[in-house]
């Protein structure tokens, strides 16, 4: 689409007076781009800030000094306080970039240069500013390099929208440079040191810059739908070459040599191909052994002229075009299986039509063996437990193209490096991880479907079709893999963090409960120990461990705090308490500051304690309670081990409660659910438990719930703390976690199935060899004459 000649160079995003229809349409298109992109980008920024606390807390745990630790905690408080302001400022800067872009006022964002020395040796650019400039420049350059294809297309389409003005990476309102600059201006509000700011920039790179690609893809799709440059293509960099194309039939070894750069060469393995050649030779021998018992083969081999590969290919090409519509409708496995079974009969019918008067022309035994072999390959695909039904139906449509490849090039079965074989293996491996839940946007399904349809539409006798689709699909998988690995790492980190936190909370709760469960204590003491001090214990054990002096001092405070709350009956006890109170206040203030207790809350708590100790020293009666009385007041039933998970969840306290409150209201171990139940000794020898313990990270499993809903998930991480297995979907998002015995139970009842890791082609050939051997043994047994009597 080209802009009309009278289209103005300026597109106003504000409500416009009635004008030309073309100008109004172009203004609407820019509004569409702004609406689609800024909504997604603002959501990514929100995700960034949801993760700042965790990142800074983790760094504070590992800080080398108290001063550095305090800076990180100060940073956490500052971000919490000003997050909404900064998010609003970023949104304002991003929106203004669109307005300036429409008015032709958006200046190109240029990379910062190194500071120049000024008079007296001072830098013209502050060191902090330089650090920030380098951080922003680095992440922008990395993003622009990674996103150059999609970004180039957005640039070209935005150029049309504004009437032909030049749009480049650094003046694109949703380009990494403009967004990075908007974010930098927004976070100037944070009064934090440069180290904290650099962490925030890293998180911006991780969550926002990494998430731009699908946004650019969506913008491009919307503009294509609107007719804006539907055919634009990314120009290849200077010196780059498209993947080579080769014609079939190929000479021996040509496939390995002419595969796409960086693909087949790295994949080629002479030893593996030697093994494949032996398997293929075995297959041909087993297929040849059927000729004496196969009525049709006997008929076709009995005489006549064999059809040339060209004749056979012509028949297949006609059949491919005739069956394209029917195959496209074959969305179920049953439909696809029926189509697979009919292809041989339809092919032979087509051969007879092409033979015309030459009735003595027949399909050769070798070619018919190939037809049968490809047929068995696709029959296996349609029965493969590894593949979801939707993928089986898609792959079933490829039978004719793969039959054409096999007839022209026997290396398909003899070489693992054959591009057509590699493509099918790669599609199957991606399809293995597919499920409706993990592919709600149908991005993977549509990409695989597009690959299948490209092969069906474009393949005649050019193996370059498979090479190009292989290279394109590898690129798609690599891009997805980077995003998935990032999400997967976050899921593992989050689970690891939760387990470390739960372990620390149980330790802290156990120590606090040990000191209060048998004593009557005033409510204020219960409140301090079960809330801020329990949190301080959690932080201390996470940061310094149970052998540290700070941990021992924290427990000593708890002991002395509990003692200080008991009635004092002797003068010596009163004297000791008076001497102890300043030490208790100092220790308590230190603990409250460490957990970022609010100043107003500290002041209120100290007032309550001061009043309590005054009454205690005056000999006034103090109201006290036991842990059991607290439980009775809360009136929350503790969950029983035999209760359903829903009942346990209902009985569990809110997640914001302290670890001591969890123990007071029930059982931390029951509520947490991360403690694996003891298994009977006999279960240790169970084959399913052994199977689970042998499962490696990276293995895919299909889970089936009580409603027969299926979800495929990969074992991503095994916890060294709880031994739990963390499972994620193909996008790297957590699906579930399982204990060893829980997963073994699911395998035992069939609600979980381990999927095979062996490539599809290899598994299929092994199954076909086993099938032919079994068929051959049965035929030999049936045809064997009775043994002659001795003598």
């Amino acid at each position: 689409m080209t802009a009309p000649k009278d289209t103005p160079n300026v597109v106003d995003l504000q409500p416009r007076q009635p004008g030309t229809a073309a100008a109004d349409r172009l203004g609407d298109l820019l509004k569409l781009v702004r609406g689609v992109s800024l909504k997604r980008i603002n959501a990514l920024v929100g995700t960034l800030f949801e993760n700042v606390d965790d990142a800074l807390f983790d760094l504070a745990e590992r800080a080398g000094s108290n001063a550095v630790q305090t800076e990180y905690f100060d940073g956490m408080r500052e971000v919490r306080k000003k997050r909404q302001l900064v998010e609003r400022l970023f949104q304002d800067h991003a929106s203004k970039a669109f307005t300036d872009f429409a008015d032709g006022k958006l200046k190109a964002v240029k990379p910062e240069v190194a500071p120049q020395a000024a008079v007296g040796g001072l830098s013209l650019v502050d060191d902090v500013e330089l650090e920030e400039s380098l951080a922003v420049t680095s992440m922008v350059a990395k993003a622009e390099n990674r996103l150059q294809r999609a970004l180039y297309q957005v640039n070209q389409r935005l150029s049309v929208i504004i009437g032909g003005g030049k749009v480049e990476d650094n003046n694109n309102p949703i380009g990494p440079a403009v967004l990075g600059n908007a974010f930098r201006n927004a976070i100037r509000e944070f009064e934090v040191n440069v180290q904290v700011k650099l962490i925030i920039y890293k998180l911006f790179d991780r969550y926002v810059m990494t998430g731009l690609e699908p946004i650019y893809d969506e913008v491009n799709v919307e503009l294509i739908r609107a007719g804006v440059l539907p055919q634009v293509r990314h120009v290849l960099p200077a010196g780059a070459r498209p993947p080579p194309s080769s014609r079939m039939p190929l000479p021996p070894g040509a496939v390995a040599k002419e595969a796409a750069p960086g693909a087949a060469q790295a994949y080629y393995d002479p030893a593996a191909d030697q093994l494949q050649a032996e398997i293929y030779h075995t297959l041909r021998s087993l297929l040849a052994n059927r000729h004496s018992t196969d009525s049709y083969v006997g008929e076709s081999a009995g005489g006549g002229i064999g059809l040339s590969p060209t004749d056979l290919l012509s028949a297949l090409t006609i059949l491919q075009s005739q069956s394209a519509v029917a195959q496209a409708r074959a969305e179920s496995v049953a439909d696809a299986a029926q189509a697979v079974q009919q292809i041989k009969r339809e092919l032979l019918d087509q051969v007879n039509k092409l033979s015309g008067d030459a009735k003595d022309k027949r399909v050769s035994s070798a070619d018919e063996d190939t037809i049968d072999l490809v047929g068995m390959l696709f029959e296996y695909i349609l029965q493969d437990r590894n593949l979801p039904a939707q993928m089986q139906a898609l792959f079933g449509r490829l039978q004719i193209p793969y039959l054409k490849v096999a007839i022209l090039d026997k290396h398909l079965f003899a070489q693992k490096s054959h591009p057509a074989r590699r493509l099918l293996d790669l599609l199957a491996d991606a399809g293995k991880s597919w499920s409706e839940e993990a592919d709600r946007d149908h991005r993977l399904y549509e990409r695989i479907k597009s690959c299948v349809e490209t092969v069906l539409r474009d393949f005649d006798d050019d193996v370059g079709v498979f090479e190009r689709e292989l290279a394109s699909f590898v690129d798609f998988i690599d891009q997805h893999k980077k995003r998935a690995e990032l999400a997967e790492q976050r899921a593992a980190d989050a689970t690891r963090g939760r387990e470390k936190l739960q372990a620390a909370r149980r330790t802290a709760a156990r120590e606090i409960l040990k000191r209060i469960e048998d004593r009557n204590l005033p409510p204020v003491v219960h409140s301090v120990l079960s809330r801020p001090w329990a949190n301080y214990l959690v932080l201390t054990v996470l940061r310094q461990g149970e052998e540290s002096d700070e941990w021992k001092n924290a427990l000593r405070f708890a002991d002395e705090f509990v003692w200080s709350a008991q009635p004092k009956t002797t003068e010596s006890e009163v004297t000791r308490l008076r001497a102890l109170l300043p030490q208790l206040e100092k220790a308590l203030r230190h603990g409250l500051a460490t957990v970022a207790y609010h100043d107003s809350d500290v002041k209120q708590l100290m007032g309550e304690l001061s009043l309590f100790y005054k009454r205690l020293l005056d000999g006034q009666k103090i109201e006290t309670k036991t842990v059991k009385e607290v439980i009775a007041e809360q009136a929350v039933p503790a969950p029983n081990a035999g209760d359903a998970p829903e009942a346990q969840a209902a009985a569990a306290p809110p997640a914001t409660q302290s670890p001591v409150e969890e123990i007071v209201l029930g059982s931390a171990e029951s509520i947490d659910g991360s403690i694996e139940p003891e298994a009977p000794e006999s279960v240790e020898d169970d084959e399913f438990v052994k199977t689970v313990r042998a499962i490696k990270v990276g293995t895919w499993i299909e889970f089936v719930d009580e409603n027969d809903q299926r979800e495929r998930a990969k074992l991503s991480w095994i916890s060294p703390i709880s031994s739990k297995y963390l499972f994620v979907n193909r996008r790297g998002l957590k699906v579930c976690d399982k204990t060893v015995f829980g997963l073994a139970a699911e395998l035992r009842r069939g609600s979980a199935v381990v999927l095979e890791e062996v490539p599809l082609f290899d598994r299929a050939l092994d199954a076909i060899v086993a099938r032919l051997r079994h068929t051959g043994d049965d035929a030999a047994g049936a045809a064997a004459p009775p043994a002659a009597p001795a003598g």
Side-chain angles (χ1 to χ4, degrees):
M1 168 182 174
T2 38
K5 292 181 180 179
D6 58 346
T7 300
N9 288 331
V10 175
V11 180
D12 187 6
L13 288 180
Q14 304 302 322
R16 61 174 67 236
Q17 298 300 320
T20 66
D24 287 339
R25 169 171 161 72
L26 294 178
D28 290 338
L29 289 177
L30 194 53
K31 289 179 184 178
L32 172 67
V33 173
R34 182 179 66 176
V36 167
S37 57
L38 291 191
K39 178 181 178 182
R40 304 283 190 274
I41 291 167
N42 290 334
L44 293 176
V45 172
T47 302
L48 176 164
F49 282 115
E50 288 169 5
N51 287 273
V52 169
D53 250 22
D54 290 344
L56 293 178
F57 188 90
D58 184 60
L59 289 168
E61 281 184 358
R62 296 184 276 113
S65 68
N66 287 336
V68 174
Q69 182 184 88
T70 300
E71 289 176 351
Y72 286 127
F73 280 124
D74 289 343
M76 290 168 62
R77 281 192 288 269
E78 179 72 358
V79 172
R80 289 175 189 167
K81 185 168 65 175
K82 294 183 178 176
R83 170 184 171 178
Q84 291 184 346
L85 170 63
V86 170
E87 284 187 280
R88 187 171 67 252
L89 286 173
F90 174 80
Q91 292 168 14
D92 291 344
H93 286 305
S95 296
K96 186 176 184 301
F98 261 96
T99 304
D100 291 346
F101 177 78
D103 294 338
K105 299 177 182 177
L106 183 59
K107 296 180 180 179
V109 178
K110 296 181 180 179
E112 298 284 348
V113 296
Q116 302 296 320
V119 178
L122 297 177
S123 172
L124 295 177
V125 180
D126 185 78
D127 286 344
V128 173
E129 287 289 313
L130 178 59
E131 288 273 2
E132 289 189 55
S133 296
L134 292 175
V136 174
T137 301
S138 174
M139 70 179 177
V140 166
K142 184 171 66 173
E144 288 178 346
N145 183 59
R146 185 181 71 250
L147 301 168
Q148 56 178 307
R149 178 196 58 80
L151 191 54
Y152 173 85
Q153 295 178 0
V154 173
N155 291 343
Q156 300 307 303
R157 294 186 172 105
L158 287 179
S159 177
V160 170
I161 289 177
I162 62 172
K166 190 173 184 180
V167 180
E168 297 180 329
D169 295 354
N170 55 11
N171 70 339
N172 182 329
I174 55 174
V178 172
L179 294 176
N181 192 53
F183 187 73
R184 182 180 180 184
N185 289 331
I187 68 170
R188 293 185 194 278
E189 292 294 325
F190 288 145
E191 296 177 8
V192 295
N193 68 15
V194 68
Q195 293 304 320
V196 172
K197 272 198 175 180
L198 292 179
I199 294 303
I200 295 173
Y201 281 128
K202 287 182 181 178
L203 294 175
F204 183 84
D205 188 18
R206 176 185 299 177
Y207 292 100
V208 181
M209 293 297 197
T210 304
L212 290 178
E213 184 176 14
I215 296 174
Y216 293 164
D217 289 343
E218 186 175 357
V219 167
N220 279 316
V221 167
E222 291 296 334
L223 292 179
I224 288 171
R225 287 176 180 168
V228 181
L229 295 183
Q231 301 300 323
V232 70
R233 292 288 184 269
H234 182 211
V235 179
L236 287 170
R241 293 185 305 155
S245 169
S246 54
R247 308 288 291 181
M248 292 197 300
L250 299 173
V255 174
K257 293 178 182 177
E258 296 198 14
Q265 288 94 331
Y267 191 85
Y268 180 65
D269 182 349
D273 281 354
Q274 178 62 33
L275 178 60
Q276 289 301 303
E278 293 174 4
I279 293 174
Y280 181 54
H281 178 73
T282 301
L283 279 170
R284 298 305 301 237
S285 298
L286 289 169
L287 288 165
N289 290 339
R290 304 177 312 158
H291 292 175
S292 59
T293 56
D294 189 311
S295 59
Y296 180 85
V297 175
E299 178 184 331
S300 62
I305 304 171
L307 280 172
S308 68
T310 302
D311 294 334
L312 199 52
L313 271 180
S314 299
L316 281 169
T317 299
I318 294 171
L319 188 59
Q320 182 172 338
S321 61
Q322 290 176 345
S323 62
V325 175
Q327 284 186 319
R329 294 173 182 167
E331 296 182 352
S332 71
V333 175
D335 291 341
Q338 184 177 8
V340 165
Q341 293 169 358
Q342 289 177 344
I343 281 179
K344 179 178 178 180
R345 178 177 53 79
E346 292 174 354
L347 174 60
L348 296 176
D349 289 344
Q350 190 62 47
V351 166
N352 289 334
K353 291 178 183 177
L354 290 176
S355 298
D357 296 332
K359 297 299 183 183
D360 56 342
K361 281 196 173 184
R362 297 288 186 267
V363 175
S364 69
S365 297
D367 283 339
E368 186 169 0
D369 286 346
T370 299
I371 294 169
D372 289 342
L373 182 54
V374 174
M376 285 186 277
L377 168 67
F378 280 85
E379 286 175 6
Y380 176 87
I381 290 173
L382 293 172
Q383 298 168 5
D384 184 17
R385 183 68 176 78
N386 258 34
L387 294 173
Q390 294 90 330
M391 292 295 153
Q392 291 176 334
L394 266 182
F395 298 155
R397 298 172 60 188
L398 290 170
Q399 185 178 1
I400 292 179
Y402 273 78
L403 179 51
K404 292 166 74 174
V405 175
I407 287 173
L408 286 173
D409 181 17
K410 309 308 180 186
H411 294 99
L412 175 66
F413 290 100
Q415 288 183 345
K416 293 172 72 74
S417 53
H418 195 289
R421 176 167 174 169
R422 288 190 58 202
L423 178 61
L424 188 57
D425 278 343
L426 187 61
L427 291 174
D429 189 61
K432 179 177 67 175
S433 68
W434 183 88
S435 67
E436 288 279 5
E437 182 65 25
D439 192 35
R440 290 185 176 181
D441 58 0
H442 285 189
R443 191 176 181 190
L444 176 62
Y445 180 86
E446 291 300 329
R447 185 63 187 82
I448 293 176
K449 182 179 178 183
S450 171
C451 182
V452 169
E453 290 177 343
T454 299
V455 170
L456 287 168
R457 181 185 66 249
D458 296 347
F459 176 62
D460 185 15
D461 62 352
D462 178 13
V463 76
V465 172
F466 293 97
E467 294 170 356
R468 289 188 290 274
E469 283 305 300
L470 174 62
S472 175
F473 199 76
V474 165
D475 183 57
F476 170 82
I477 291 298
D478 285 346
Q479 291 179 17
H480 163 76
K481 187 178 179 181
K482 292 173 184 175
R483 293 192 295 269
E485 284 176 348
L486 184 62
E488 192 174 334
Q489 183 60 48
R490 289 200 296 265
D493 289 345
T495 302
R496 183 186 296 108
R498 280 194 297 271
E499 291 199 345
K500 286 175 64 178
L501 179 60
Q502 283 293 346
R505 295 180 75 186
R506 284 196 297 272
T507 299
R510 185 170 58 248
E511 294 295 340
I512 295 295
L513 194 57
K514 187 191 303 181
R515 288 159 174 79
I516 68 174
E517 62 182 344
D518 296 327
R519 292 184 173 86
N520 286 290
L521 295 172
V524 66
V525 175
H526 269 298
S527 178
V528 169
L529 290 176
S530 66
R531 297 188 182 188
W533 203 254
N535 291 333
Y536 175 59
L537 287 178
V538 170
L539 184 61
T540 302
V541 75
L542 282 172
R543 185 183 58 202
Q544 300 189 25
E546 296 181 57
E547 301 301 320
S548 65
D549 289 340
E550 187 163 351
W551 172 257
K552 293 172 184 176
N553 290 336
L555 294 182
R556 187 177 302 115
F557 167 85
D559 290 328
E560 292 174 340
F561 190 50
V562 169
W563 177 86
S564 73
Q566 305 297 310
K568 301 299 173 271
T569 57
T570 67
E571 189 63 31
S572 64
E573 288 181 335
V574 171
T575 301
R576 183 190 168 201
L577 176 59
R578 290 184 187 278
L580 182 62
L581 286 179
Q583 300 173 34
L584 290 178
E585 180 180 355
K586 181 180 179 181
L588 181 57
R589 285 185 181 277
H590 168 71
L592 296 177
T594 301
V595 296
Y597 213 62
H598 200 278
D599 291 344
S600 60
D601 294 333
V602 172
K603 185 176 180 181
Q604 179 181 346
L605 176 58
M606 289 305 174
E608 292 177 9
L609 286 172
S610 177
L611 181 61
F612 161 70
Y613 283 119
K614 184 177 183 302
R615 295 178 59 200
L616 182 65
L617 290 170
D618 289 346
Q620 298 182 32
K621 185 176 180 180
I622 306 294
E623 178 188 1
T624 61
K625 296 178 182 178
T626 65
V627 171
K628 291 182 180 179
E629 288 172 334
V630 175
I631 293 175
E633 286 183 0
Q634 295 291 337
V636 177
N640 297 319
D643 286 347
E646 294 80 4
Q648 293 197 29
T656 55
Q657 288 177 312
S658 72
V660 173
E661 288 176 304
E662 288 187 357
I663 285 193
V664 167
L665 300 181
S667 163
E669 283 77 8
S670 297
I671 294 168
D672 170 36
S674 65
I675 304 300
E676 185 171 331
E678 296 264 343
E681 291 184 9
S682 60
V683 175
E684 292 293 341
D685 297 326
D686 186 293
E687 62 175 303
F688 295 101
V689 174
K690 292 180 179 178
T691 297
V692 171
R693 294 197 188 281
I695 292 176
K696 305 296 183 187
V697 169
T699 301
W700 284 86
I701 293 183
E702 182 179 62
F703 294 99
V704 186
D705 65 17
E706 59 275 8
N707 299 318
D708 202 35
Q709 295 297 312
R710 298 172 184 271
E711 180 64 82
R712 289 167 178 247
K714 180 180 71 172
L715 175 58
S716 172
W717 177 71
I718 301 175
S719 168
I721 299 174
S722 66
S723 298
K724 271 193 172 181
Y725 286 27
L726 171 67
F727 289 93
V728 300
N729 62 19
R730 60 172 298 272
R731 294 163 58 198
L733 304 179
K734 178 180 176 180
V735 172
C736 59
D737 49 32
K738 304 285 184 182
T739 64
V740 170
F741 298 111
L743 182 55
E746 293 194 46
L747 291 177
R748 194 178 296 112
R749 64 174 175 261
S751 59
V753 179
V754 179
L755 304 179
E756 294 185 61
E757 297 298 310
V758 178
L760 171 65
F761 233 98
D762 291 11
R763 288 185 285 111
L765 293 186
D766 288 343
I768 293 170
V769 168
R771 171 181 169 182
L772 291 174
R773 281 177 173 158
H774 178 72
T775 305
D777 291 344
D778 289 348

